């Protein structure tokens, strides 16, 4: 048990519960059919730290271009490890700790591996086994972390049903490691397949700003964090720091005893697409409040317009297999395939539209506003692209329209992803800056009453405070953190301006 608060904890997990001698507000529980999940051990305020974790394993993706096996930056073949001949990005990465596990194995091969293809759009098939090998190396190199990883699910039974995938991993990873690399006496087929399953089920994308700028990424397993379950309307969010440390914070206030959840997949998409991808990638059917509500918490984000009346057409029931949609007003039926065809048509049209083609986005909005509910996720994504297409010397009317489009996007999506979210912080910053710009212009031209101007400024100040709350804990090298600093600066200027106006009014 924890000596501070008395919560049950085994010794290997006690460090994850205590941070600077402060008890973190979570406990891990187990339920048959669900597995392990995380629950709040007391009330948690929005933005409060819930847990911190470090990766048990971090490495390249299964199908990836050749990247540096130490830092995951793009490699071009000009720098190779002196021991194993695998690619690195620079001399400073030669003796790094992350590359050690595979280096010790590949350096012993009589015929060294030679990666032939480099650059974006290529696949270095030799990399398929690297992260699996790093995970397996924990068995002998770090037994304590290995024991923690063994608590994680591998969905072995479900993966065996995916015969083509199973054959692919058998050939490219299991047989490659056991036969070509010569590890048949070190790792059994079952051990390697379990490592593959643990990675597929629990690993998530690592994409630091420097990796994003290059178009590369990796994956990692955080052993305690991996116990968190998914919900499409999650109450927590995480950030990965430059040193790969993960911090989980409350996105909204969380009550004691409430399950703590994260999103495995973007909140942007509607139920049909989201539920399908969750089932395909993580092998379970999501039954969160959003997925079980055909209106998606009253947002109507998947609804299409009825052709017979002003009503909205939604799935006839909340089952994953539902193929018939019905109008909530007149009952007219519509096949799911027809609904999906409309959405796919808009997706395809958007893919063929350049980001600066404002008139084309406007034409698409006009066309599909007659087919899709105003809150439909794909129509809202279109409107966000339209807002981004306004650039350069905009008229005041275009500036106002851009602001309105962004405000509409926030209003719709915060219904399904509420609280202190990164996306809302970034978008709200643009809205607040635009609001203050418009308010200042109208005030200087005496087109608005002083009371109205002050109210608009106060609203923008409140919005900027929200921006800071949403983004202030992001990594120092991230765009989100920079926006939080810009918001702090704009906030100080706005408050100083209002203070000056108040002082002048008293003269």
């Amino acid at each position: 048990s924890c000596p501070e608060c008395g919560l049950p904890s085994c010794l290997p997990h006690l460090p994850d519960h205590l941070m600077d001698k402060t008890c973190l507000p979570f406990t891990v529980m187990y339920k048959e059919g669900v597995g392990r999940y995380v629950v709040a051990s007391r009330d948690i305020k929005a933005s409060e730290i819930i847990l911190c974790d470090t990766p048990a394993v971090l490495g390249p993706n299964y199908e990836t271009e050749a990247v540096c096996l130490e830092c995951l930056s793009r490699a071009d073949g000009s720098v190779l490890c002196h021991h194993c001949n695998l690619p690195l990005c620079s001399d400073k990465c030669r003796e790094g700790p992350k590359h050690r596990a595979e280096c010790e194995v590949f350096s012993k091969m009589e015929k060294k591996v030679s990666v032939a293809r480099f650059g974006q759009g290529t696949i270095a098939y030799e990399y398929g086994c690297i992260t699996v090998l790093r995970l397996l190396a924990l068995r002998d190199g770090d037994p304590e972390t290995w024991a923690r990883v063994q608590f994680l699910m591998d969905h072995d039974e479900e993966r065996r049903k995916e015969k083509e995938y199973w054959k692919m991993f058998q050939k490219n990873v299991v047989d490659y490691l056991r036969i070509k690399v010569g590890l048949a006496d070190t790792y059994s087929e079952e051990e390697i397949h379990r490592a593959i399953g643990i990675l597929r089920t629990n690993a998530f994308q690592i994409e630091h700003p420097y990796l994003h700028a290059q178009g590369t990424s990796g994956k990692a397993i955080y052993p305690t964090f991996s116990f968190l379950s998914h919900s499409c309307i999650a109450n927590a969010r995480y950030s990965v720091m430059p040193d790969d440390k993960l911090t989980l914070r409350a996105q909204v206030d969380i009550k004691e005893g409430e399950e703590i959840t994260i999103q495995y997949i973007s909140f942007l998409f509607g139920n049909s697409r989201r539920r399908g991808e969750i089932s395909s990638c993580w092998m379970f059917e999501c039954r969160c409040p959003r997925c079980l509500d055909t209106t998606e918490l009253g947002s109507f984000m998947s609804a299409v317009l009825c052709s017979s009346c002003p009503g909205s057409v939604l799935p006839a029931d909340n089952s994953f297999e539902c193929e018939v949609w019905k109008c909530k007003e007149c009952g007219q039926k519509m096949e799911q395939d027809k609904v999906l065809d409309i959405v796919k048509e808009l997706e395809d049209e958007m893919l063929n539209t350049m980001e600066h083609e404002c008139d084309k986005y406007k034409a698409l909005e006009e066309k599909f506003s007659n087919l899709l509910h105003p809150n439909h996720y794909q129509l809202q994504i279109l409107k966000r692209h339209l807002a981004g297409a306004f650039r350069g010397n905009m008229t005041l009317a275009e500036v106002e329209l851009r602001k309105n489009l962004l405000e509409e996007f926030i209003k719709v999506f915060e219904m399904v992803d509420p609280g202190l979210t990164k996306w809302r912080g970034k978008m709200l910053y643009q809205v607040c800056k635009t609001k203050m710009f418009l308010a200042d212009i109208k005030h200087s031209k005496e087109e608005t009453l002083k009371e109205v101007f002050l109210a608009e400024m106060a609203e923008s100040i409140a919005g900027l405070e929200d921006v800071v709350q949403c983004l202030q804990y992001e990594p120092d090298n991230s765009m989100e953190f920079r926006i939080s600093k810009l918001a702090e600066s704009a906030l100080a200027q706005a408050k100083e301006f209002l203070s000056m106006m108040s002082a002048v009014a008293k003269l």
Side-chain angles (χ1 to χ4, degrees), residues 48-243:
E48 188 178 346
I49 291 178
I50 299 171
L51 66 82
C52 296
D53 207 358
T54 53
V57 64
L58 188 155
N61 297 315
Y62 172 70
E63 288 190 343
T64 177
E65 65 175 281
V67 295
C68 172
L69 287 173
E70 182 59 30
C71 71
L72 302 178
S73 293
R74 179 164 286 127
D76 60 11
S78 62
V79 179
L80 301 176
C81 176
H82 291 317
H83 308 293
C84 67
N85 207 46
L86 288 171
L88 301 165
C89 69
S90 63
D91 287 338
K92 69 179 182 180
C93 283
R94 283 192 189 277
E95 304 300 330
K98 295 190 178 82
H99 169 52
R100 194 170 297 146
E102 65 272 10
C103 185
E104 289 179 355
V105 171
F106 281 77
S107 62
K108 295 174 184 175
M109 294 177 67
E110 186 174 335
K111 183 180 179 182
K112 296 291 187 290
V113 171
S114 178
V115 177
R117 304 181 69 196
F118 295 86
Q120 202 163 11
T122 63
I123 295 177
Y125 290 102
E126 299 86 352
Y127 278 50
C129 69
I130 297 294
T131 308
V132 175
L133 184 55
R134 290 183 183 185
L135 178 55
L136 289 166
L138 295 175
R139 188 194 67 185
D140 303 317
D142 187 351
E144 186 177 302
T145 301
W146 174 254
R148 293 178 62 191
V149 169
Q150 297 314 301
F151 285 113
L152 303 179
M153 298 177 71
D154 61 9
H155 286 296
D156 180 74
E157 187 177 336
E158 293 87 346
R159 290 186 301 109
R160 286 179 184 273
K161 294 175 183 176
E162 299 177 328
K163 297 190 182 299
E164 291 304 314
Y165 272 102
W166 189 269
K167 288 180 183 176
M168 178 179 71
F169 283 109
Q170 177 71 41
K171 176 184 176 183
N172 297 340
V173 180
V174 179
D175 292 345
Y176 186 86
L177 287 175
R178 283 172 54 81
I179 299 171
K180 185 164 185 177
V181 182
L183 296 178
D185 294 333
T186 307
Y187 302 116
S188 66
E189 286 198 7
E190 290 74 19
E191 283 180 303
I192 300 174
H193 273 300
R194 173 151 168 76
I196 292 167
I198 288 173
L199 282 163
R200 181 174 172 190
T201 306
N202 300 280
F204 72 91
Q205 187 125 318
I206 294 292
E207 194 173 33
H208 294 303
Y210 76 91
L211 297 177
H212 180 75
Q214 301 175 55
T216 63
S217 64
K219 58 186 174 185
I221 288 180
Y222 291 81
T224 302
F225 174 79
S226 293
F227 292 143
L228 287 153
S229 297
H230 163 83
S231 173
C232 297
I233 180 159
N235 54 19
R237 55 172 258 216
Y238 62 88
S239 300
V240 178
M241 301 301 162
D243 62 357

Side-chain angles (χ1 to χ4, degrees), residues 456-507:
E456 289 176 340
M457 289 297 292
E459 187 179 336
S460 294
I461 286 173
L464 287 170
E465 289 172 340
D466 260 4
V467 172
V468 174
Q469 282 285 307
C470 287
L471 304 178
Q472 63 182 331
Y473 298 115
E474 292 304 305
D476 292 355
N477 62 344
S478 67
M479 176 183 64
E480 290 85 0
F481 183 77
R482 290 194 293 273
I483 292 174
S484 77
K485 289 301 178 185
L486 290 171
E488 284 180 354
S489 177
L491 192 55
Q493 291 172 13
K495 287 181 176 179
E496 183 180 356
F497 179 72
L498 288 186
S499 179
M500 288 172 56
M501 283 192 66
S502 178
V504 169
K506 292 177 182 178
L507 295 177

Side-chain angles (χ1 to χ4, degrees), residues 224-322:
T224 302
F225 174 79
S226 293
F227 292 143
L228 287 153
S229 297
H230 163 83
S231 173
C232 297
I233 180 159
N235 54 19
R237 55 172 258 216
Y238 62 88
S239 300
V240 178
M241 301 301 162
D243 62 357
D244 298 320
K245 180 181 177 182
L246 179 146
T247 303
L248 181 77
R249 292 180 183 271
Q251 184 169 302
V252 295
D253 290 346
I254 303 173
K255 293 291 185 184
E256 180 180 354
E258 188 178 340
E259 184 177 1
I260 300 168
T261 57
I262 56 168
Q263 292 173 346
Y264 293 180
I265 189 172
S266 174
F267 64 92
L268 282 174
F269 306 118
N271 273 1
S272 295
R273 176 170 174 178
R274 221 178 48 260
R275 294 176 81 180
E277 291 189 10
I278 290 169
S279 176
S280 173
C281 294
W282 290 279
M283 302 174 196
F284 69 90
E285 180 184 343
C286 183
R287 299 187 65 79
C288 73
R290 181 180 174 187
C291 283
L292 293 180
D293 181 359
T294 58
T295 72
E296 299 186 49
L297 308 177
S299 69
F300 288 81
M301 278 179 52
S302 295
V304 298
L305 299 180
C306 181
S307 59
S308 300
C309 77
S312 300
V313 179
L314 290 164
D317 59 61
N318 66 8
S319 68
F320 181 52
E321 303 81 10
C322 182

